[in-house]
Amino acid sequence: MAPILELRGVRKTYGDFVAVEGLDLSVPPGSIYGVLGPNGAGKSTTIRMIMNIYVRDAGEILLAGRPLDRAATDRVAYLPEERGLYRKMKVHDHIVYLARLKGMAAAEAAAKADAWLERFDLADRAEAKVDELSKGMQQKVQFIACVLPEPDLIILDEPFSGLDPINTRLLTDIIQEQRQAGRTVLFSTHVLEQAEKICDHIVLIHRGKKLLDGGLDEIQERYPVDTIEVAGSFDTATLESLDSVEKVFEQGTRWRVQMRDGLPHQELLRELTGRGEVDHFSAVRPPLTDIFVREVEREGLQLEEHEMDSAQGVSA
Amino acid sequence: MSGKLWIVVRKEYLERVRTRSFALGTALGPVLIAAMMFGPALLAERTGPESQSIVIVDPGDGQAGERLQSMLDAAAQAQGDGFPLQAEFARVESEGELEQLRTDLDAEVGSDELDGYVVLAEDFLESGRAVYYGESLSGVIGVEVLENFLDQAVQQERMRELGIGSAELAEVLRGANLEKRSVGAEDDVSMQSRLLVGVAMIMLLYFMMIFYGQFTMQAVIEDKSTRVVEVMLASVTPGQLMMGKLLGQGLVGFTQFVIWVVIGGLFSNLGGQVAGLDIQIGLIGVDLWIWFGVFFVLGFLLYSSLYAGVGALCSSMQDAQQYQGPITMLIVLPVLLLQVAIQAPDSGTSLVLSLIPLFTPILMFIRIVIGDPALWQVVLSVVLLLLTVLGSLQLAAKLFRLSILHFGKAPGWGQIMKMLRASD
């Protein structure tokens, strides 16, 4: 199918700093498309260029095969990274206002606003002013304003930041519903684990350049089952000291171990025996965070400490 | 999509009209207008009947005192309540008695029971000499009136000596009668009220331009300070957003203006009567109202777009302080120049000043009110103003577009020029 959104050789610089370099994207219609990368990778800059807020220095951006013009913006919804609403406006009025600006009739927008507020547990705040709401509630209001006009393409910049687990779950459900309704959702996040759960397709950006691009399954299948999840009565230092171990990542009460090149899994199990109880041992494909680290290293790039943390969702 | 523009205008209008500050401002406006209309009249009323109480001391034979008394009594009777002098007479027979009385009177003046006293010379009717003792020696109406009567008393005495009777005297003193008529249709009374109403209209225009210009600026800054601007730009163009705010605020101002004019119209007759002036809004020709409407709308758009441009450059109200000064000065300037245009409305200087678009709304309007500018002058000024408005609207939209995502620090003047050049 022809892509709903296409970027060709898009470039953006701020003075000497290159924020985005020669970026090609092709977003399949009806997909959940994740734009991933650590903080400062160029995700928001890319999204703002798509939304015509930043002017690109070079390249082409096409929506359904045509340059993005004003008429086309009605079919695209946008949740910016910098959230903002009119503080003195009433919640319900505000949602209807933004929906009308997307071309929806007032009565239809009002009815849909009621339903969405109900769903987000905000029905009793419909007549409250925006600044009487908590930050999280304001974010939900802004998300409602985004999806209510039923656009073809929904662009969300870091939609999960600042949400509690319950609302993260609700948002995830709604994003999946939107895909089922035939819409395309493009979102950015620096929390790769989040993307892993819902994306069909991902693009991984690092320092303005694309590292990886493809279907999530397809990307993961490129990597061998070389990662072992273990749990037991030993510590990180012990694991790291083993001959068969290349790298160890802590993951809650478990560890994720990357085996030294080509060594069989049993080698790790053999070395662990006698050093403590093994409660869990399973071989898996590397998660996105590990893939990201490997790709960065394969490109011969150094990964800064904060980029690493950010990719693993530590800062989130 | 002009439909979107009107959705923005509607929102900006309703949000502002529903605020408490709008209700308060609209309610207080007429109070201020009424204060301006009734205030001077009431003040005049209050100061009128407050008369000076003085004592006239006659150390002579009492003739001068008696004559003054009868003259003052007659005048007070003729004029009624408004007579500014309440005089008592005191005769003293000796130097010692005079000294004693003066000590007493000084004490009374000191305790404000008395405004002052006059001691006539013994030979007052011949020499005309008299001394006034009082706490305040300047701006006292009563003393001037008293001086008048003293003059009359000595003059009468001299005439009597020359053998001129009072009937002959009246004939001698009968003055000329200068009748004042203006050239043209209006009589002088309506000319006076034209000027008064004209100046009142200009004050209204001036305040509306300042207040609503700043409201527009606030509305533009709000989008940036709340960061809602990115969401808005996903639906509307920067030009639509800017124009929507400008027109929305403008309609709010117009609404308030209409409310005030209606209230002002109802009260102005009453106010005019109190002030003893013949001010009736109905007396002002329809043409004046039409010109006022034209200059109101254009002046409003001009200054609102300038303020909006300032708003576009700033991300907070604090930033705006340093930029709005020059704009406010541009509005104050024509008000300062108003005097020039009032004194010589049809002079070359007035013509040149009124053709400067930034001054046109105020100066051309006052020229139409009291002068007689040629039609081509008025049309030229309106065309120039219209072109300036269009230019300044475009400039504001451009600044808005360029600086819209420069959150944080306001740009310096150098940066502004660079941005403008870069966008060409």
Side-chain angles (χ1 to χ4, degrees):
Chain A
M1 255 197 286
I4 185 165
L5 179 71
E6 211 178 348
L7 274 67
R8 292 182 194 153
V10 170
R11 177 186 160 88
K12 175 77 187 174
T13 55
Y14 301 107
D16 293 335
F17 177 70
V18 181
V20 175
E21 174 85 305
L23 187 64
D24 300 314
L25 295 185
S26 179
V27 181
S31 65
I32 297 177
Y33 191 98
V35 178
L36 317 177
N39 293 330
K43 304 184 298 292
S44 288
T45 301
T46 303
I47 285 177
R48 284 183 173 144
M49 283 191 284
I50 295 171
M51 291 315 297
N52 237 342
I53 291 166
Y54 285 173
V55 181
R56 60 189 177 275
D57 297 335
E60 244 189 314
I61 297 177
L62 300 172
L63 186 77
R66 296 185 49 224
L68 194 75
D69 56 17
R70 279 292 148 194
T73 56
D74 277 3
R75 310 204 316 272
V76 183
Y78 173 45
L79 178 78
E81 186 184 17
E82 301 276 7
R83 321 272 190 245
L85 294 166
Y86 291 108
R87 295 195 189 104
K88 299 287 172 202
M89 228 173 156
K90 287 178 184 171
V91 170
H92 191 271
D93 289 351
H94 206 317
I95 293 170
V96 171
Y97 177 53
L98 291 176
R100 292 195 65 197
L101 287 177
K102 286 287 182 197
M104 191 175 252
E108 189 188 358
K112 291 212 159 106
D114 288 336
W116 276 106
L117 285 169
E118 189 71 48
R119 171 135 194 222
F120 271 90
D121 209 17
L122 284 170
D124 57 331
R125 310 308 295 271
E127 293 305 310
K129 283 181 181 162
V130 168
D131 64 0
E132 293 163 9
L133 264 53
S134 73
K135 271 248 151 62
M137 287 176 179
Q138 290 184 21
Q139 190 165 341
K140 290 199 272 183
V141 170
Q142 206 162 353
F143 182 75
I144 291 172
C146 232
V147 292
L148 186 142
E150 300 174 356
D152 297 338
L153 175 61
I154 300 167
I155 295 179
L156 312 168
D157 199 352
E158 297 281 357
F160 298 102
S161 72
L163 286 185
D164 59 33
I166 294 169
N167 285 309
T168 301
R169 180 67 190 273
L170 181 59
L171 201 63
T172 309
D173 288 350
I174 289 168
I175 288 174
Q176 280 166 340
E177 271 171 34
Q178 294 296 314
R179 175 182 51 186
Q180 272 151 30
R183 291 173 202 128
T184 310
V185 181
L186 178 151
F187 74 93
S188 75
T189 181
H190 63 274
V191 187
L192 304 188
E193 283 142 10
Q194 196 73 56
E196 211 161 18
K197 286 180 199 149
I198 55 170
C199 285
D200 304 317
H201 195 116
I202 60 151
V203 57
L204 193 56
I205 300 175
H206 179 59
R207 297 189 192 164
K209 286 188 184 138
K210 191 164 76 173
L211 281 184
L212 271 178
D213 185 359
L216 185 66
D217 297 342
E218 174 216 323
I219 285 175
Q220 284 182 321
E221 275 162 22
R222 286 186 213 159
Y223 293 85
V225 183
D226 63 354
T227 300
I228 318 289
E229 279 185 4
V230 291
S233 59
F234 24 79
D235 56 31
T236 310
T238 310
L239 279 170
E240 279 172 342
S241 70
L242 299 176
D243 292 336
S244 60
V245 171
E246 174 78 32
K247 251 194 187 125
V248 178
F249 302 98
E250 283 182 61
Q251 189 183 328
T253 57
R254 296 178 177 185
W255 289 271
R256 217 162 59 238
V257 176
Q258 190 188 333
M259 298 294 290
R260 193 147 298 195
D261 280 339
L263 286 175
H265 305 154
Q266 287 89 330
E267 192 57 26
L268 175 63
L269 195 56
R270 196 185 58 76
E271 279 194 285
L272 279 173
T273 315
R275 292 178 196 260
E277 284 293 317
V278 178
D279 302 327
H280 178 94
F281 190 95
S282 63
V284 295
R285 289 186 196 281
L288 267 181
T289 49
D290 294 4
I291 292 176
F292 171 62
V293 174
R294 289 187 205 184
E295 287 298 323
V296 169
E297 285 172 352
R298 204 163 61 92
E299 295 277 321
L301 299 167
Q302 283 297 311
L303 203 56
E304 305 277 337
E305 187 80 17
H306 74 271
E307 289 175 327
M308 184 69 211
D309 287 349
S310 148
Q312 290 188 310
V314 174
S315 66
Chain B
M1 292 276 281
S2 65
K4 287 190 180 182
L5 174 62
W6 288 111
I7 295 171
V8 177
V9 170
R10 184 176 172 274
K11 178 258 167 189
E12 292 292 327
Y13 178 80
L14 289 178
E15 288 294 306
R16 171 71 69 181
V17 164
R18 283 175 188 158
T19 57
R20 227 170 292 154
S21 63
F22 177 79
L24 201 68
T26 310
L28 283 181
V31 174
L32 281 177
I33 291 174
M36 276 157 72
M37 280 177 165
F38 293 116
L42 289 177
L43 276 178
E45 190 113 298
R46 276 181 58 87
T47 48
E50 214 172 84
S51 65
Q52 305 265 312
S53 72
I54 59 167
V55 171
I56 298 172
V57 182
D58 185 359
D61 56 5
Q63 238 191 57
E66 265 168 43
R67 187 167 305 169
L68 272 169
Q69 185 159 32
S70 65
M71 284 165 67
L72 283 170
D73 283 351
Q77 212 163 14
Q79 204 170 325
D81 281 347
F83 196 66
L85 209 57
Q86 260 188 320
E88 273 180 51
F89 290 88
R91 270 197 69 189
V92 284
E93 304 281 351
S94 68
E95 224 24 51
E97 209 177 326
L98 179 63
E99 287 305 310
Q100 178 61 40
L101 183 62
R102 280 196 54 193
T103 315
D104 293 349
L105 290 175
D106 281 345
E108 277 183 55
V109 171
S111 63
D112 282 339
E113 287 168 58
L114 203 64
D115 289 299
Y117 61 91
V118 176
V119 180
L120 304 176
E122 260 182 72
D123 58 347
F124 171 71
L125 287 177
E126 285 92 54
S127 69
R129 283 187 297 117
V131 183
Y132 176 77
Y133 300 88
E135 196 152 274
S136 159
L137 295 180
S138 60
V140 187
I141 300 167
V143 179
E144 283 168 26
V145 172
L146 178 68
E147 201 169 2
N148 236 332
F149 279 100
L150 295 179
D151 284 347
Q152 281 182 34
V154 288
Q155 283 162 2
Q156 272 184 17
E157 177 60 20
R158 288 173 199 153
M159 304 234 199
R160 200 182 54 78
E161 279 169 9
L162 291 169
I164 303 171
S166 54
E168 288 154 309
L169 182 63
E171 185 58 26
V172 168
L173 291 179
R174 190 166 53 80
N177 185 7
L178 178 66
E179 201 178 329
K180 301 170 196 81
R181 287 186 188 175
S182 74
V183 180
E186 301 98 10
D187 54 42
D188 56 333
V189 174
S190 109
M191 193 61 208
Q192 188 193 17
S193 37
R194 260 179 93 101
L195 178 60
L196 279 169
V197 175
V199 170
M201 283 167 148
I202 279 169
M203 286 300 135
L204 193 60
L205 181 63
Y206 168 73
F207 283 120
M208 295 296 268
M209 287 196 305
I210 285 196
F211 284 133
Y212 280 91
Q214 295 203 353
F215 286 151
T216 308
M217 184 176 77
Q218 273 172 25
V220 171
I221 291 174
E222 185 194 14
D223 275 42
K224 298 210 292 177
S225 66
T226 60
R227 314 247 154 154
V228 74
V229 64
E230 272 193 67
V231 177
M232 293 302 294
L233 289 189
S235 302
V236 299
T237 65
Q240 283 172 332
L241 186 54
M242 170 77 89
M243 203 59 198
K245 286 179 175 294
L246 211 116
L247 292 179
Q249 298 300 326
L251 284 176
V252 175
F254 194 71
T255 305
Q256 197 162 49
F257 168 69
V258 168
I259 294 172
W260 286 350
V261 165
V262 169
I263 293 174
L266 291 176
F267 279 90
S268 65
N269 288 345
L270 193 51
Q273 281 161 16
V274 172
L277 288 168
D278 190 10
I279 310 170
Q280 283 179 341
I281 288 189
L283 267 181
I284 307 305
V286 177
D287 60 323
L288 217 54
W289 283 106
I290 291 172
W291 284 121
F292 183 61
V294 169
F295 288 122
F296 185 84
V297 169
L298 289 178
F300 182 85
L301 284 176
L302 176 65
Y303 282 100
S304 284
S305 58
L306 290 178
Y307 273 112
V310 172
L313 290 173
C314 308
S315 48
S316 70
M317 282 310 286
Q318 287 93 318
D319 287 345
Q321 299 305 329
Q322 64 163 315
Y323 292 101
Q324 67 169 332
I327 311 282
T328 307
M329 287 235 302
L330 286 178
I331 304 186
V332 176
L333 214 51
V335 174
L336 297 178
L337 292 168
L338 199 56
Q339 196 61 30
V340 176
I342 288 176
Q343 275 170 358
D346 296 323
S347 69
T349 315
S350 295
L351 169 62
V352 171
L353 288 175
S354 64
L355 285 179
I356 297 172
L358 288 165
F359 301 162
T360 297
I362 285 176
L363 294 186
M364 186 51 92
F365 182 67
I366 198 70
R367 289 188 61 211
I368 293 173
V369 173
I370 55 167
D372 189 21
L375 187 64
W376 69 264
Q377 295 176 357
V378 181
V379 171
L380 178 63
S381 76
V382 170
V383 170
L384 288 176
L385 179 56
L386 198 62
L387 290 175
T388 311
V389 165
L390 292 177
S392 114
L393 283 176
Q394 263 187 337
L395 181 74
K398 203 180 226 178
L399 283 175
F400 192 51
R401 175 72 190 96
L402 288 170
S403 67
I404 210 139
L405 293 163
H406 287 251
F407 294 123
K409 229 176 80 198
W413 289 109
Q415 266 172 290
I416 295 167
M417 296 317 293
K418 224 165 94 184
M419 283 198 298
L420 286 175
R421 273 202 300 274
S423 68
D424 288 335

